[in-house]
């Protein structure tokens, strides 16, 4: 099992290319199921989850191909396709649930395992099921699988007005894809507003879908008889960009985050600027300059759905708060079990008190290297940031979590001057 060995204390400088967003690429790969024509994606990140999704599509009978230097992938989903997502391919990646809507919409039936993924709290798929049932689907949950079908004699889902009980990104994406081939109009209320949802909608529009309001809490879809192929570039990963931004702020330095878009990161950028880092938009991306965490001011924040502070940046910003001056409170409102990185950060010398969903972080910590264990994807990134500023050597174990969401992170950090290597 691979580990990362980090020797801390070096500032970061240079430029780094931000990869395509995993959380955009995965639903877009599933969107290829909506048409028999080829779909071409550009800027697909080289990640474990992407490979798993490709294996899943291959298993169904989709013809997949990798090409080009810019993360190019092509998908062709024939009419003779097995609409099933088995447990063996779904258990490590909950994004596989995104196959449910497209399969049901195009083929009229689907058998999809209940998803797995990071153990960061309950993320039920009941909103997906309720939304599809509102569109006329018949869905049973048996033996760990969702069994979905259209009623006898019906060939298409029916448009409906759907208001989810909570804001759910994958739920919005599943229902959005299904509605594209439904009969009539579908309105999704309380929809997720994340940039990845809007990017999926732009891809679907390029395939011939009729969608309005994406990027807002109310999305309107007029169903069409069929969709065609397209070529689409995956939007840059705002979470990868935010992770590198926090790393630069903590270590000090000057780095250009190529392809990053400030309009997708406004809540995080506001906190970085309040802490004392300089963040500016440039034609090539986003530039971050920082004198280092010891000269920054710790910032309190509360995670919220987009456009609020993203839960996927909570652990990384907490690592920055550790070395900034002052005390900060971190309130996690999205997932009830997302402070698992706290105990590992404390092994490095952090002082953090957790009370329910609120963590109080004592800044100004003098971190020292130790062996720590990653517990989930974003927790892994926080341990890397802490290791970059800690004295001595830090070993981050179980980095398969990190590989699920970051494309060659250690290579990119090494290009910026970090002393970091992958070891077995």
């Amino acid at each position: 099992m691979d580990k990362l060995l980090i020797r801390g204390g070096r500032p970061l400088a240079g430029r780094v290319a931000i990869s395509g967003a995993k959380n955009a690429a995965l639903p877009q790969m599933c969107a290829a199921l909506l048409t028999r024509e080829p779909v071409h994606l550009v800027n697909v990140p080289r990640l474990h989850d992407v490979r798993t999704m490709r294996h899943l599509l291959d298993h169904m009978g989709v013809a997949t191909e990798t090409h080009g230097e810019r993360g190019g992938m092509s998908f062709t989903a024939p009419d003779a396709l097995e609409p099933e997502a088995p447990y063996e391919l779904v258990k490590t990646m909950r994004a596989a649930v995104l196959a449910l809507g497209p399969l049901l919409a195009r083929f009229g039936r689907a058998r999809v395992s209940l998803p797995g993924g990071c153990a960061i709290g309950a993320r039920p798929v009941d909103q997906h099921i309720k939304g599809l049932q509102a569109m006329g689907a018949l869905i049973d949950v048996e033996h760990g699988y969702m069994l979905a079908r259209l009623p006898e004699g019906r060939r298409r889902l029916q448009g409906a007005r759907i208001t989810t009980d909570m804001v759910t990104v994958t739920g919005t994406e599943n229902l959005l894809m299904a509605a594209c081939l439904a009969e009539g109009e579908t309105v999704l209320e309380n929809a997720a507003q994340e940039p990845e949802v809007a990017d999926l909608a732009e891809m679907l529009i390029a395939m011939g879908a009729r969608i309005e309001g994406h990027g807002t809490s109310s999305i309107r879809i007029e169903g069409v008889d069929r969709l065609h192929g397209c070529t689409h570039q995956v939007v840059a990963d705002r979470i990868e960009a935010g992770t590198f931004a926090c790393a630069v702020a903590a270590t000090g330095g000057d780095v250009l985050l190529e392809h990053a878009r400030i309009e997708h990161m406004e809540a995080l950028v506001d906190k970085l600027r309040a802490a004392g880092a300089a963040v500016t938009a440039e034609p090539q991306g986003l530039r971050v300059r920082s004198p280092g965490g010891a000269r920054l001011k710790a910032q309190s924040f509360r995670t919220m759905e987009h456009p609020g502070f993203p839960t996927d940046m909570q652990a990384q910003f907490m690592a920055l708060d550790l070395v900034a001056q002052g005390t900060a409170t971190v309130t996690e409102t999205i997932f009830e079990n997302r402070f698992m990185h706290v105990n590992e950060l404390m092994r490095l010398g952090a002082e953090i008190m957790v009370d329910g969903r609120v963590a109080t972080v004592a800044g100004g910590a003098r971190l020292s290297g130790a062996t720590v264990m990653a517990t989930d994807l974003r927790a892994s990134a926080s341990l890397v940031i802490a290791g970059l500023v800690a004295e001595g050597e830090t070993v981050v174990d179980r980095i398969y979590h990190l590989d699920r969401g970051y494309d060659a992170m250690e290579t990119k950090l090494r290009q910026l001057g970090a002393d970091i290597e992958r070891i077995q």
Side-chain angles (χ1 to χ4, degrees), residues 148-344:
R149 67 189 189 281
L150 295 179
E152 189 173 350
R154 183 172 294 175
R155 299 179 60 186
R156 297 172 64 185
L157 291 168
Q158 305 297 301
R161 179 175 291 272
I162 302 168
T163 303
T164 54
D165 297 335
M166 64 184 74
V167 178
T168 161
V169 174
T170 54
T172 298
E173 291 168 339
N174 230 340
L175 299 176
L176 172 62
M177 289 187 283
C180 289
L181 292 180
E183 186 176 349
E185 182 181 83
T186 299
V187 179
L188 304 180
E189 301 286 4
N190 202 28
Q193 302 177 52
E194 273 72 2
E196 295 80 15
V197 176
D199 197 47
L200 172 62
E202 290 297 326
M203 175 188 172
L204 293 168
I205 291 170
M207 295 172 67
R210 299 173 182 172
I211 304 171
E212 297 178 351
H214 46 293
T216 75
S217 62
S218 181
I219 304 176
R220 188 177 301 272
I221 309 103
E222 182 67 34
V224 297
D225 291 336
R226 60 182 294 274
L227 295 176
H228 53 72
C230 76
T231 297
H232 179 78
Q233 179 166 320
V234 181
V235 69
D237 191 335
R238 62 193 171 97
I239 304 302
E240 183 188 35
T243 299
F244 276 91
C246 285
V248 177
T251 62
D254 182 347
V255 172
L256 176 65
L257 308 174
E258 295 177 348
H259 314 308
R261 297 170 60 174
I262 196 169
E263 66 270 22
H264 293 169
M265 303 168 57
E266 290 179 349
L268 173 63
V269 168
D270 287 347
K271 289 296 180 183
L272 288 170
R273 287 172 172 168
V279 185
T280 54
E282 298 190 2
Q284 302 93 340
L286 204 63
R287 183 173 294 278
V288 182
R289 301 182 184 90
S290 172
R295 298 176 64 183
L296 300 184
K297 182 180 178 181
Q299 297 295 307
S300 298
F301 62 93
R302 181 184 187 91
T303 62
M304 298 178 67
E305 292 87 0
H306 190 80
F309 194 97
T311 181
D312 278 352
M313 282 303 308
Q314 177 254 104
Q316 300 93 305
F317 205 97
M318 182 184 288
L320 170 59
D321 273 342
L322 286 175
V323 294
Q325 299 302 311
T327 300
T329 57
V330 176
T331 305
E332 174 59 56
T333 70
I334 307 300
F335 297 122
E336 73 278 8
N337 193 26
R338 207 165 200 181
F339 285 142
M340 291 188 293
H341 49 282
V342 167
N343 287 338
E344 299 304 304

Side-chain angles (χ1 to χ4, degrees), residues 340-361:
M340 291 188 293
H341 49 282
V342 167
N343 287 338
E344 299 304 304
L345 289 172
M346 291 174 69
R347 286 180 51 78
L348 299 173
E351 293 185 25
I352 307 170
M353 296 278 294
V354 175
D355 183 7
R357 294 197 175 203
V358 179
T360 302
V361 181

Side-chain angles (χ1 to χ4, degrees), residues 71-135:
M73 295 187 75
S74 298
F75 309 88
T76 305
D79 291 331
L81 184 145
E82 182 59 40
E84 178 182 28
Y87 173 73
E88 290 73 20
L89 291 172
V90 174
K91 61 183 178 181
T92 62
M93 183 190 64
R94 68 173 290 103
V97 73
L98 290 165
L100 179 62
L103 289 175
L104 183 59
R106 181 174 165 203
F107 298 96
R109 60 189 179 91
R111 183 175 184 264
V112 177
S113 172
L114 292 170
C118 289
I120 56 175
R123 299 193 282 185
V125 296
D126 64 314
Q127 301 304 304
H128 305 237
I129 294 174
K130 290 178 181 178
L132 292 170
Q133 287 174 330
M135 299 171 72

